[in-house]
Amino acid sequence: MSTADTGDLEFTEHNHDPFTTTPPAPVPPKATLDAAGEILRALAAPVRIAIVLQLRESGRCVHELVEALGVTQPLISQHLRVLKAAGVVRGERNGREVLYELVDDHLAHIVVDAVAHAEEG
């Protein structure tokens, strides 16, 4: 293999044998792919990404998310409904308030990795 350097971009030439094949990667069932797509769609809005980052630290009530993110209560509630429907967050009622938490840490890792990737430029 040889490497050609052109400015900031680096290209690697691959010597690929056209007579050898790599077996295809396993593909999960359609239902699994559909569910993964729903989760990614739920995470696709900047406010929802910010909510997940807040909930990664600890469970929060709506008013805490409003204060932390500087957006209106109706907007936070709307985004929480989307995240809840996608199985990203769950709410636990405590008197008049609902404490929202992430369902699991897998989703926080996806968001943290996406944010880190975006910050790398």
Side-chain angles (χ1 to χ4, degrees):
M1 271 191 264
S2 65
T3 302
D5 189 10
T6 56
D8 290 352
L9 300 175
E10 188 174 283
F11 297 96
T12 303
E13 294 176 26
H14 294 278
N15 295 324
H16 183 70
D17 183 351
F19 298 106
T20 60
T21 59
T22 304
V27 177
K30 183 180 182 323
T32 302
L33 295 173
D34 289 344
E38 288 300 316
I39 291 168
L40 291 174
R41 273 188 287 285
L43 295 173
V47 172
R48 292 195 288 267
I49 291 170
I51 289 171
V52 170
L53 292 172
Q54 289 294 310
L55 297 180
R56 179 175 171 257
E57 299 301 319
S58 68
R60 308 244 196 246
C61 297
V62 171
H63 71 88
E64 292 172 306
L65 292 169
V66 167
E67 184 178 313
L69 302 179
V71 296
T72 65
Q73 181 273 324
L75 185 60
I76 291 290
S77 295
Q78 177 185 358
H79 285 294
L80 283 168
R81 275 192 297 279
V82 172
L83 291 170
K84 193 172 179 183
V88 175
V89 302
R90 67 174 162 250
E92 188 173 313
R93 183 161 294 283
N94 185 9
R96 291 183 53 200
E97 295 187 322
V98 177
L99 182 71
Y100 288 93
E101 302 174 308
L102 292 177
V103 170
D104 62 45
D105 288 337
H106 292 106
L107 301 166
H109 291 295
I110 292 169
V111 170
V112 168
D113 287 348
V115 169
H117 182 74
E119 288 177 335
E120 291 171 0

